[in-house]
Amino acid sequence: VERYYNNLTSEVKASYPGLLLKEKMASLRSINVGGIAPDIDLVAPDGKHIKLSSLRGKYVLLDFWASWCIPCIQEVPLLKRLQEKYKNQGLQIVGVSVDSDREKWQGALDKHQPAGIQISELKGWESTSRVDYGVQAIPFTVLIDASGKILARNPHGPLLEEIIEKYFSQK
């Protein structure tokens, strides 16, 4: 997209659509591998606010999911294993629910007991964090290093396990 943007005339770049495109490119650049993860400040089931930036110093695996998402629920055992295996080395899983119904979210938490910290805006697909991270489908994962840099976007299953193993074997 940047290559095409750079070929636009300065008049087009200064237009409203040109400015929107420039803003969108900057936003996307920050959520790519190597970018700094946007901060999240969401509510846990107990009502406490959790800020992603408060977890600096740990590797964080953001797991965007929802109670109604079968593939998301199928990932729960793997995420539990990863959390247990690497928690003493600094891995913190943060489940970011895109649910809109508190009862359904709480029911899924009670039934499946997903790993790590669980947070949500309860705004469904209108979730700001979903938009900020460019999440188009779930499950969606983002691995973030201790300094807040994005290491991987959307690995699942054996690939996720391999990537996390790689980073923790280098520590």
Side-chain angles (χ1 to χ4, degrees):
V1 173
E2 278 188 78
R3 183 177 64 211
Y4 294 113
Y5 177 81
N6 291 335
N7 288 328
L8 298 175
T9 65
S10 47
E11 183 178 275
V12 172
K13 288 179 184 176
S15 70
Y16 181 70
L19 294 172
L20 286 177
L21 180 58
K22 182 178 181 180
E23 183 180 307
K24 184 66 174 173
M25 286 186 322
S27 169
L28 290 173
R29 203 176 294 117
S30 72
I31 60 171
N32 283 329
V33 172
I36 298 299
D39 204 6
I40 293 175
D41 183 358
L42 297 180
V43 179
D46 63 4
K48 293 181 183 173
H49 278 263
I50 306 290
K51 288 186 80 161
L52 178 61
S53 57
S54 72
L55 300 172
R56 288 277 163 88
K58 295 181 179 242
Y59 278 70
V60 174
L61 179 66
L62 292 179
D63 173 39
F64 289 86
W65 72 286
S67 62
W68 46 263
C69 172
I70 293 169
C72 300
I73 301 305
Q74 290 171 334
E75 291 267 302
V76 168
L78 169 64
L79 297 175
K80 285 181 176 182
R81 280 195 319 274
L82 291 171
Q83 179 73 64
E84 187 60 32
K85 184 174 182 179
Y86 295 107
K87 69 181 177 188
N88 293 334
Q89 295 175 55
L91 178 65
Q92 178 61 63
I93 293 176
V94 177
V96 183
S97 172
V98 295
D99 276 287
S100 57
D101 183 307
R102 176 174 290 284
E103 287 182 21
K104 289 181 181 175
W105 177 44
Q106 188 63 57
L109 293 174
D110 294 342
K111 181 177 181 180
H112 303 290
Q113 299 184 354
I117 298 167
Q118 298 297 317
I119 56 178
S120 183
E121 290 173 81
L122 294 172
K123 290 183 179 179
W125 214 240
E126 300 304 313
S127 162
T128 303
S129 55
R130 182 203 63 82
V131 173
D132 288 350
Y133 277 85
V135 175
Q136 300 296 316
I138 54 174
F140 189 90
T141 58
V142 180
L143 182 62
I144 303 166
D145 77 3
S147 69
K149 185 172 78 174
I150 296 174
L151 300 174
R153 284 180 47 86
N154 211 22
H156 295 282
L159 179 59
L160 175 60
E161 208 163 3
E162 181 182 314
I163 288 170
I164 288 177
E165 173 67 33
K166 172 186 151 193
Y167 284 109
F168 282 98
S169 68
Q170 293 173 357
K171 283 180 75 177

